[in-house]
Amino acid sequence: IRMTATAYDPGPRSCGPRATGRTAMGLRAGHGIVAVDPRVIKLGTKLYVEGYGFCIAGDTGGAIKGNKIDLGFNTYSEAKKYGRRKVTVYILD
């Protein structure tokens, strides 16, 4: 699936002042956990994103609608450096 990718970290700069570091599925947010629109990719699905690697669709986001994906990073600086780009997403299961 061709998607627009953005990036986030588990802290308040990406997730707001009430950030807990946990995802919609209760997973610890960070590298390897991505936010998707569950109408496009079911939560819990294993994925491979070119230029990012293997990951799990473990979160949702208010701005993640349709063919958008938000890639988790461990720090704000990593997420900011990634920016926004087009990626190919492979569904593995």
Side-chain angles (χ1 to χ4, degrees):
I1 303 171
R2 194 76 175 146
M3 303 184 100
T4 299
T6 53
Y8 77 101
D9 76 293
R13 286 192 271 186
S14 291
C15 298
R18 296 185 190 168
T20 65
R22 295 285 173 183
T23 69
M25 288 185 62
L27 302 170
R28 183 178 164 91
H31 195 278
I33 305 297
V34 300
V36 297
D37 181 341
R39 295 173 298 162
V40 177
I41 297 174
K42 188 171 69 171
L43 286 176
T45 301
K46 294 176 185 174
L47 308 167
Y48 179 80
V49 179
E50 283 187 344
Y52 180 76
F54 293 97
C55 51
I56 296 174
D59 205 1
T60 59
I64 307 305
K65 302 288 185 225
N67 281 5
K68 293 183 180 176
I69 189 166
D70 208 11
L71 308 177
F73 286 87
N74 294 326
T75 67
Y76 178 75
S77 62
E78 290 173 321
K80 186 172 172 139
K81 182 179 177 182
Y82 185 86
R84 175 188 304 263
R85 57 185 85 167
K86 295 283 187 182
V87 296
T88 301
V89 177
Y90 297 91
I91 296 174
L92 302 179
D93 58 19

